[in-house]
Amino acid sequence: MSDTPRKSSAIDLGSAIKSRLTSWDSIILVLTVLVLVVASFSVDNFGTSRNFTFMVLDLLPIILIALPMTMIIVTGEIDLSVASTLGLTSSLMGWLWNQGLSIETIIPLCVVIGAICGVVNGFLITGLGLPSLAVTIGTLALYRGLAFVVLGDGAVADFPWNYTGWVTGTIGGGAVPNDLILIVALALIFGIVQHATPFGRSLYAIGANAQAAHFSGIRVARTKFWLYVVSGAVAGLVGVLWTLRYSSARADNGSGLELAVVAAVLLGGVSIFGGKGSLPGVLAGVVLLTALQNALRLEDVSGQALNIVTGSLLVLSVLLPNITTAIRGHWRRRKVRQAAAAR
């Protein structure tokens, strides 16, 4: 009698391992490693320490904005205004610098301005009940327009070298950029909040069924509101880092970045309908997307072709998980029918 539960536990463990190995997260992780290995051996200069530094610098804006974006999409919403928030804070940074404010005052001010952009989004979506897609498409145009009102078509440079040098510098003069410290620290914080706290679990409940989550005591509107505030603040911070990296405040900084962020999040296995997805999968998706773009640039592929690759990955990241789920459902129903017929 004691063998039966032991066999059942072994079957459950085997099923859990099989399910984990065939999950979308694992597939993306394997694809990422495969792309990195193949590109290192087939693309000139891809595997060099210098290229590694540039790739991490390219990763920075996408990963940082993807951290709160993952939480927003898990709840079934979206924020398409992040790149315009970045452009607006970059413009304001340049304008404030021209007014003579110190860089130590400007940086936190820009993060606050980004958070205010998130407050506007959050109020329109949770306070007035408007759809997040329509609201953030509107504020995408609004914030970018305001960025051009503030700074026009010009640029502001000459930011302090100790700040621009830190953003583009490396730890101890080696190959690891200083920015990697910020990426790792924020990824750990967001990862713990999303996967190891009651707040993180409430995001999945909201994405699965917002009405049921509300009746179970979760403050749905307030949770979503603060997610947009955090998203705006992070976009503001990225606007500061972007400006310092290129030592250039411009209204068009970060144009089109929202497409890369959404593509990376969906590629990482987060469902566009909410309720599913993990941060490790998203991080793998960002690395995969950035590595592909980096390898194509080294092969002198045009910017238009890079957009085609990003757009294609966006479509595939929506299609493939649904196709995989449909195939698994088909095989599961077939096994049930075969088991019923065998009785």
Side-chain angles (χ1 to χ4, degrees):
M1 286 182 69
S2 60
D3 287 346
T4 305
R6 201 176 300 151
K7 284 179 182 175
S8 177
S9 299
I11 292 170
D12 290 344
L13 180 62
S15 300
I17 292 173
K18 184 180 176 184
S19 175
R20 189 62 196 158
L21 290 176
T22 56
S23 68
W24 185 254
D25 294 7
S26 301
I27 293 170
I28 289 298
L29 189 60
V30 170
L31 274 176
T32 304
V33 173
L34 195 63
V35 167
L36 289 171
V37 171
V38 171
S40 296
F41 286 101
S42 61
V43 179
D44 288 342
N45 299 319
F46 183 87
T48 63
S49 59
R50 185 179 175 80
N51 189 56
F52 172 76
T53 305
F54 282 126
M55 207 161 71
V56 172
L57 290 173
D58 288 341
L59 281 170
L60 176 79
I62 301 177
I63 280 190
L64 293 186
I65 294 178
L67 296 175
M69 182 73 85
T70 300
M71 292 183 172
I72 289 174
I73 296 181
V74 163
T75 64
E77 305 289 352
I78 198 164
D79 184 358
L80 295 178
S81 67
V82 282
S84 297
T85 303
L86 184 162
L88 178 58
T89 53
S90 180
S91 285
L92 285 166
M93 188 174 175
W95 183 80
L96 292 170
W97 181 247
N98 275 346
Q99 303 309 305
L101 267 70
S102 70
I103 195 73
E104 290 79 12
T105 305
I106 291 172
I107 290 175
L109 202 54
C110 286
V111 176
V112 171
I113 289 164
I116 292 171
C117 292
V119 168
V120 174
N121 285 337
F123 172 72
L124 292 173
I125 293 164
T126 63
L128 301 183
L130 299 175
S132 58
L133 181 64
V135 167
T136 55
I137 285 177
T139 51
L140 176 154
L142 173 65
Y143 297 156
R144 186 66 70 183
L146 288 173
F148 279 99
V149 169
V150 170
L151 208 58
D153 293 325
V156 176
D158 299 328
F159 293 100
W161 165 248
N162 53 336
Y163 283 88
T164 57
W166 187 88
V167 171
T168 56
T170 57
I171 299 172
V176 181
N178 295 325
D179 292 338
L180 199 59
I181 301 170
L182 188 62
I183 293 175
V184 171
L186 288 179
L188 280 174
I189 293 170
F190 274 84
I192 290 169
V193 170
Q194 183 170 337
H195 295 292
T197 66
F199 176 80
R201 286 191 287 278
S202 73
L203 303 180
Y204 290 93
I206 293 170
N209 189 326
Q211 197 172 17
H214 172 72
F215 286 121
S216 66
I218 296 172
R219 295 179 175 178
V220 176
R222 193 170 75 168
T223 301
K224 290 183 179 179
F225 175 82
W226 283 109
L227 287 181
Y228 281 98
V229 175
V230 172
S231 178
V234 171
L237 173 64
V238 176
V240 170
L241 295 172
W242 187 294
T243 304
L244 292 175
R245 178 190 173 185
Y246 296 102
S247 194
S248 175
R250 293 180 58 89
D252 59 354
N253 276 350
S255 293
L257 189 68
E258 67 279 348
L259 177 63
V261 173
V262 173
V265 172
L266 299 185
L267 189 63
V270 178
S271 171
I272 191 68
F273 304 110
K276 291 181 183 174
S278 72
L279 205 53
V282 171
L283 297 179
V286 174
V287 174
L288 175 60
L289 185 66
T290 309
L292 276 174
Q293 291 183 335
N294 182 273
L296 291 172
R297 279 197 204 100
L298 289 173
E299 290 292 315
D300 290 329
V301 174
S302 67
Q304 289 81 358
L306 289 177
N307 287 335
I308 291 172
V309 171
T310 304
S312 301
L313 285 174
L314 184 57
V315 173
L316 286 174
S317 60
V318 175
L319 277 178
L320 288 180
N322 287 293
I323 292 172
T324 306
T325 304
I327 292 172
R328 281 180 177 169
H330 169 74
W331 283 107
R332 199 175 297 121
R333 287 192 296 274
R334 186 177 174 179
K335 282 183 179 177
V336 170
R337 284 198 298 271
Q338 287 174 342
R343 287 174 188 164

